[in-house]
Amino acid sequence: MGEKHRMDIIEARKDLGVVIVRMAAQRRTQEEIEELGALLANLKYAEPDYFLEFDIAFHLKLADMAKNSTLKEILSSILLHTRVNQADDGGKQISSLDYDAIYNAIAEGNQEAAAQAMETLIKDEMEVY
């Protein structure tokens, strides 16, 4: 994938991710928070070969929590493009602190903190990949 296309995907993913976490923070249920917490635990302790799998599951759970099927479909498409490239890069890991911040903000129902945490996660991913 060309650099311009890669940057377009990252930009779209960042903007979409921010919208999704804002909605998730507003619409989440206690059961969903617990499920997201379980995914977070798996992600934090994942072997490098499984990190991308848990990362995708975490982001798709956020989309489920937003309760908007169109946003989830768009995110799934974007993740497919970005994850293929990340797998080619050896599945490098991002700090779990970024994921913790997203989880905590959503659990608290704090839309602004969730949005900021997602922006930080995407920024960190851009630096790694």
Side-chain angles (χ1 to χ4, degrees):
M1 156 181 350
E3 184 63 20
K4 169 76 169 102
H5 185 66
R6 181 181 158 282
M7 294 308 296
D8 287 348
I9 288 173
I10 290 170
E11 180 180 53
R13 180 162 174 254
K14 179 180 122 315
D15 292 343
L16 182 64
V18 167
V19 169
I20 286 172
V21 296
R22 283 180 187 275
M23 294 172 91
Q26 181 181 30
R27 300 174 178 180
R28 84 254 186 268
T29 65
Q30 186 58 41
E31 181 180 350
E32 290 170 327
I33 292 168
E34 292 168 10
E35 292 168 356
L36 187 65
L39 287 170
L40 176 61
N42 287 335
L43 196 148
K44 287 169 82 169
Y45 301 109
E47 296 293 325
D49 290 345
Y50 297 102
F51 181 81
L52 288 177
E53 178 183 333
F54 290 123
D55 179 59
I56 290 169
F58 184 85
H59 287 283
L60 291 177
K61 183 62 186 175
L62 292 171
D64 285 339
M65 294 168 76
K67 296 173 179 58
N68 184 307
S69 61
T70 301
L71 291 177
K72 184 175 181 183
E73 288 175 25
I74 295 167
L75 178 64
S76 295
S77 176
I78 290 171
L79 289 175
L80 176 65
H81 288 289
T82 59
R83 297 311 183 221
V84 166
N85 291 324
Q86 289 174 357
D88 290 344
D89 289 340
K92 299 170 190 152
Q93 294 188 15
I94 306 300
S95 169
S96 66
L97 295 176
D98 293 341
Y99 296 93
D100 286 334
I102 292 169
Y103 170 81
N104 290 331
I106 288 174
E108 295 167 3
N110 187 331
Q111 295 178 31
E112 290 304 314
Q116 182 62 44
M118 179 58 76
E119 288 178 356
T120 299
L121 175 67
I122 301 298
K123 178 179 170 264
D124 289 351
E125 284 184 351
M126 288 173 61
E127 291 174 7
V128 170
Y129 300 106

